Amino acid sequence: MTDEHEHTVTTAPPVDWDAQAARFDAEPDHGLRDPEVRAAWAARLRSWLPGHPADVLDLGCGTGSLSLLAAGQGHRVTAVDLSPAMVERARAKLAGRRAEVLCGPAEAPPVGRLRFDVVLVRHVLWTLPDPARALRHWRELLRPHGRFVLVEGVWGTLHPVGIPAGRLTALLAPLAADVRVERLSGDPVLWGKEVTDERYAVVAAV
């Protein structure tokens, strides 16, 4: 069945992420500066990632806030962002951690023959022109028994942008054996405010 929002939701307009980098962390769920917000994301991430040290590929990492949480939980992180300004801030944030930050596109990360236990992506897939193609490529970067951890949503009412959960799970169906959706809209602590739009995480094992 086609998701009711599928034909009304659009991809993101072009954004100058270098220009956004300096103020990116001011958003509560971006910078995770508030201890309560940071703890809420840390708890979710702990439930989504393996319980043992794993190789995590964080695509579209921004300033590296989720990468920092993952590294703090004992994982080995490779973080990728297209924006040099974001990469610079992520490298500073992750200095001294078991993490490497690379500059490159999320849909074709410059990781060569490296393979990972987790592909972690937050609020990036919906910005890409061909989400299905990106997911197929990311599947090739996963080791056997690896997993996708994808945090996405739909923003706005008159002109919504994003990717509905129904569409994302349909795209993942041929790529993953076990796809689980976790609704996030009802947890205002994650966002630093009440939200009414669709926000969710998909954890999909391959």
Side-chain angles (χ1 to χ4, degrees):
M1 180 179 293
T2 302
D3 189 281
E4 62 179 319
H5 297 298
E6 184 170 345
H7 296 299
T8 59
V9 176
T10 61
T11 55
V15 176
D16 184 345
W17 292 112
D18 283 335
Q20 295 282 330
R23 58 181 180 274
F24 188 77
D25 279 355
E27 289 292 326
D29 59 310
H30 290 171
L32 307 184
R33 291 169 171 167
D34 183 289
E36 191 174 12
V37 175
R38 185 168 59 252
W41 277 102
R44 295 279 184 166
L45 205 60
R46 190 173 289 108
S47 72
W48 298 333
L49 298 180
H52 55 82
D55 291 308
V56 176
L57 178 61
D58 182 5
L59 297 175
C61 68
T63 60
S65 294
L66 287 190
S67 288
L68 183 62
L69 290 182
Q73 293 176 10
H75 301 292
R76 300 170 295 273
V77 179
T78 300
V80 178
D81 202 274
L82 184 61
S83 161
M86 293 285 192
V87 166
E88 180 181 357
R89 284 165 172 77
R91 284 175 176 159
K93 194 175 289 187
L94 290 159
R97 302 283 183 167
R98 297 180 70 186
E100 181 180 16
V101 185
L102 305 173
C103 192
E107 60 268 45
V111 295
R113 294 181 177 275
L114 293 177
R115 295 297 177 265
F116 300 87
D117 302 302
V118 180
V119 168
L120 170 65
V121 187
R122 182 175 68 164
H123 300 168
V124 173
L125 189 65
W126 71 280
T127 71
L128 303 180
D130 192 342
R133 182 177 181 179
L135 287 168
R136 289 193 298 269
H137 182 59
W138 297 345
R139 170 65 180 83
E140 295 172 0
L141 300 178
L142 283 170
R143 294 179 178 135
H145 310 296
R147 70 183 71 174
F148 293 100
V149 176
L150 308 173
V151 181
E152 291 293 339
V154 177
W155 297 268
T157 53
L158 292 178
H159 303 287
V161 295
I163 181 168
R167 182 180 176 213
L168 181 50
T169 56
L171 292 175
L172 284 168
L175 304 175
D178 179 29
V179 179
R180 175 172 59 87
V181 178
E182 188 172 322
R183 302 291 175 177
L184 304 178
S185 301
D187 189 349
V189 179
L190 287 172
W191 316 108
K193 61 184 178 182
E194 296 281 349
V195 298
T196 58
D197 43 23
E198 181 183 8
R199 305 190 187 195
Y200 63 90
V202 172
V203 179
V206 302

